[in-house]
Amino acid sequence: MDDLSTGDTLLATGLSKQYGGVFVLTGVDFTINRGRVTGLIGENGAGKSTLSSIIAGIKRPDGGAMTIGGHPYRPADPLDALSRGVAIIHQEIKMIPELSVAENIFLGRMPTRRGAVDYPSMYEQAGTVLRELGVRVDPRRPVAGLVTATQQEIEIARAIVRRPSFIIFDEPSATLGSKETERVLEQIEHMRANGSGVVYISHRLDEIARIADDIVCLRDGRKVAQWAGADVDRNEMIHAMVGRELAQRDIDPPAHDDDVVLEVRGLSSERFADIDFHVRRGEIVGLSGLVGAGRTEIVRALSGADKCTRGEVVVDGQIARIHSVRDAIRSGIVMVPEDRKTQGLNLDRCAGENMTLPWERQLAKSGLITYSVIRATRDRMARELEIRGDLDAPAGLLSGGNQQKVLLGKWLVRTPKVLILDEPTRGVDVGAKEAIYTIIRSLAASGVAIIVVSSELDEVLLLSHRVIVIAGGRQTGSLDRSEATPERVMQLSVPSGRASTAHK
Ligand SMILES: Nc1ncnc2c1ncn2[C@@H]1O[C@H](COP(=O)(O)OP(=O)(O)OP(=O)(O)O)[C@@H](O)[C@H]1O
Ligand SMILES: [Mg+2]
């Protein structure tokens, strides 16, 4: 780590990248200094991940050059980049599910002893770095089955054990709750103090303001603003990102009806118990709680993705027998899942096909869905959700945030009775976030009963008529909009007994 021969500065000049003649990066100059954190901001599709991938040796630039400490730096692949001290934590988690946590952390450089992998040492080292990060997981267990947030933390551990001189965090907080994010930010401060140069990408501008020493803003593949020192006004950042003013608005949700659309009675599974709540026509109910509290498990059960052991789900006064996602959709319950990669999108198909897939039967004119229907649907959703990028290309090639919008669009093609949104704005930029909020409110106004799960407390409080708090798989409270303050929600989120330590 103290090997200064690698140089204190990674310098990129005039970086360009194009796909099929379209430039997604144009003449970008970028500097990473050891001992400093550079915040990288920009709208979805602005080119942040592309720039990061080039620096980390995942993609080759079409123009420009890079140096480390004045010496040419042309990484052939990520391993080559690592050997020069450059690491990246991906926006999309890339792990081998069958391997253990420790094996994933040390992939490619497992400690050996007399020619064989030294498992005891590997488990111990993995345990140490996980403890440093505050992650409670057994290094021996396989990664498969771990929740997204934990996988993201393991991904971070993997980069950290390599003691890189330069490290890029591509939106790590998008999948993390506030507590986990706090730990990541602390870890970054720690790495900075130890002399690493860090790039931090996030759509949460408060995180950028807090952690960054310098800030760079990309728009449409060009560097449009750069600030030395993080003393930048939030509105100034937003203006640079979207090229216009975007007022932060505190809007109340539209009024709702009294009749109950969804009733959940005593719902239980192995992960949660005795969940009781209802949602009225046009009402937005937020499910809040810490990561791992059971929120996602509850909505997955409601939407037929997971089994429950006990309890009833009633839609419009009728008991809904939900054994599969199809059953749920038939009863009028639709969920937008949190994990777009494995549960939501077919990344090989284009945006339009993804959005029409669940609705083929309803959209088909005479048994067959036509391309013009697909295109019309796609164009409508793209307009409403401001989806940017090549919509005829496989969805996997869209930027992370735009994939999120396609996923949302997929479930909005037809209006359900009950719409469940699990992390609806994960990885989505400020402008599109406002657009998604507006859509949620207008769906509510049209009578849809809505459940929102989000690890961003601000988001839950802003959107919801009522907030239901989950802790340790139990429902610990239900707060009306007027009583739902961040303090009150946090109190209910921390399982009793630990409440006192949480205030320290
Ligand atoms: N392999 C590819 N082929 C074609 N286009 C691509 C490819 N990879 C990326 N792009 C396009 O490059 C543009 C920049 O994408 P990038 O992922 O860098 O954006 P980003 O700033 O990271 O956005 P987000 O905030 O959504 O993560 C997007 O329009 C994307 O669709
Ligand atoms: Mg990105």
Side-chain angles (χ1 to χ4, degrees):
M1 178 126 208
D2 296 322
D3 181 15
L4 286 177
S5 65
T6 57
D8 285 341
T9 303
L10 190 158
L11 191 68
T13 34
L15 289 186
S16 296
K17 180 77 186 170
Q18 56 157 333
Y19 292 106
V22 179
F23 276 86
V24 298
L25 223 51
T26 311
V28 172
D29 297 337
F30 193 72
T31 311
I32 316 175
N33 289 304
R34 292 188 64 168
R36 287 182 83 81
V37 176
T38 303
L40 181 56
I41 59 174
E43 285 184 292
N44 295 135
K48 304 178 298 295
S49 294
T50 305
L51 175 61
S52 312
S53 303
I54 291 174
I55 296 172
I58 300 165
K59 289 180 178 174
R60 301 286 190 81
D62 294 315
M66 296 187 283
T67 58
I68 294 179
H71 301 289
Y73 167 62
R74 276 185 229 99
D77 52 47
L79 272 183
D80 192 17
L82 263 181
S83 72
R84 297 287 299 273
V86 182
I88 186 165
I89 289 156
H90 293 280
Q91 181 172 16
E92 306 295 338
I93 297 163
K94 291 186 180 127
M95 239 170 300
I96 304 176
E98 303 79 43
L99 292 185
S100 70
V101 169
E103 283 167 321
N104 269 287
I105 291 177
F106 284 97
L107 209 61
R109 57 185 299 268
M110 298 190 194
T112 51
R113 208 163 152 249
R114 295 197 204 102
V117 175
D118 183 354
Y119 282 97
S121 156
M122 184 173 75
Y123 291 140
E124 199 197 301
Q125 291 182 50
T128 307
V129 62
L130 289 169
R131 254 194 315 282
E132 265 176 41
L133 273 172
V135 188
R136 269 195 244 139
V137 63
D138 178 4
R140 290 174 181 78
R141 65 155 288 164
V143 161
L146 289 170
V147 298
T148 320
T150 309
Q151 293 201 25
Q152 180 64 276
E153 292 180 305
I154 294 169
E155 181 100 25
I156 292 169
R158 165 153 75 183
I160 288 172
V161 295
R162 287 161 169 80
R163 307 263 169 230
S165 311
F166 303 98
I167 181 163
I168 303 169
F169 287 78
D170 192 355
E171 274 192 72
S173 59
T175 49
L176 300 179
S178 51
K179 235 173 56 190
E180 293 79 17
T181 302
E182 188 55 33
R183 288 203 297 256
V184 172
L185 293 178
E186 277 166 18
Q187 190 62 38
I188 289 176
E189 280 163 352
H190 188 68
M191 296 183 87
R192 166 171 61 194
N194 281 326
S196 288
V198 181
V199 177
Y200 189 75
I201 300 176
S202 178
H203 288 293
R204 300 187 188 165
L205 300 180
D206 49 332
E207 290 172 8
I208 296 279
R210 163 168 162 203
I211 196 87
D213 301 301
D214 309 295
I215 300 174
V216 169
C217 177
L218 295 180
R219 189 188 332 142
D220 295 333
R222 293 170 195 273
K223 186 162 83 180
V224 290
Q226 180 171 1
W227 299 273
D231 198 13
V232 189
D233 180 60
R234 187 188 153 86
N235 286 332
E236 206 177 323
M237 284 195 253
I238 293 176
H239 191 264
M241 283 168 71
V242 299
R244 62 192 151 94
E245 296 301 333
L246 203 81
Q248 270 279 89
R249 288 164 303 170
D250 255 348
I251 306 177
D252 279 333
H256 60 76
D257 291 350
D258 281 340
D259 43 332
V260 170
V261 176
L262 174 78
E263 219 180 322
V264 179
R265 299 185 192 141
L267 204 68
S268 307
S269 83
E270 275 137 33
R271 300 291 309 277
F272 55 84
D274 305 322
I275 305 299
D276 272 294
F277 68 92
H278 59 265
V279 189
R280 298 187 178 93
R281 197 172 308 284
E283 191 179 26
I284 305 174
V285 169
L287 277 196
S288 189
L290 304 175
V291 166
R295 297 163 309 172
T296 290
E297 285 80 1
I298 293 167
V299 292
R300 279 179 59 84
L302 277 177
S303 69
D306 287 344
K307 300 258 173 297
C308 41
T309 49
R310 222 162 10 93
E312 272 176 354
V313 177
V314 180
V315 180
D316 276 343
Q318 302 231 319
I319 291 190
R321 302 200 187 287
I322 301 173
H323 301 292
S324 66
V325 172
R326 192 180 286 250
D327 288 347
I329 293 177
R330 208 173 293 134
S331 306
I333 304 177
V334 149
M335 174 170 81
V336 181
E338 66 166 339
D339 179 359
R340 61 178 167 259
K341 205 155 205 173
T342 60
Q343 300 162 17
L345 287 187
N346 183 333
L347 297 178
D348 300 325
R349 300 276 205 98
C350 73
E353 286 174 321
N354 266 291
M355 292 192 282
T356 46
L357 215 55
W359 313 109
E360 280 184 342
R361 187 122 41 95
Q362 290 90 331
L363 291 174
K365 290 272 158 57
S366 52
L368 273 178
I369 186 159
T370 61
Y371 181 65
S372 68
V373 170
I374 294 182
R375 200 177 42 205
T377 308
R378 177 198 79 188
D379 290 347
R380 176 167 68 89
M381 296 320 302
R383 207 171 38 244
E384 287 181 12
L385 294 174
E386 302 177 17
I387 304 173
R388 267 175 244 127
D390 182 354
L391 299 182
D392 288 318
L397 296 182
L398 293 173
S399 81
N402 281 301
Q403 287 181 24
Q404 184 66 20
K405 289 186 238 173
V406 172
L407 177 57
L408 188 58
K410 169 172 166 177
W411 297 112
L412 296 182
V413 167
R414 277 298 166 106
T415 316
K417 287 182 189 164
V418 179
L419 179 67
I420 303 171
L421 299 154
D422 195 358
E423 305 286 356
T425 64
R426 165 175 296 171
V428 157
D429 69 50
V430 277
K433 217 170 183 170
E434 284 295 326
I436 289 176
Y437 292 164
T438 306
I439 288 167
I440 293 174
R441 289 189 191 106
S442 69
L443 282 166
S446 75
V448 180
I450 297 177
I451 300 174
V452 177
V453 176
S454 171
S455 32
E456 281 187 65
L457 185 52
D458 291 349
E459 181 162 293
V460 173
L461 297 182
L462 179 73
L463 287 172
S464 312
H465 291 103
R466 205 147 44 82
V467 176
I468 287 166
V469 187
I470 309 292
R474 299 280 171 157
Q475 191 172 326
T476 53
S478 167
L479 302 169
D480 280 332
R481 186 173 180 80
S482 55
E483 356 165 62
T485 59
E487 296 73 28
R488 200 73 194 93
V489 174
M490 280 319 286
Q491 276 166 4
L492 292 168
S493 303
V494 182
S496 52
R498 276 169 53 201
S500 51
T501 51
H503 289 291
K504 274 186 191 157

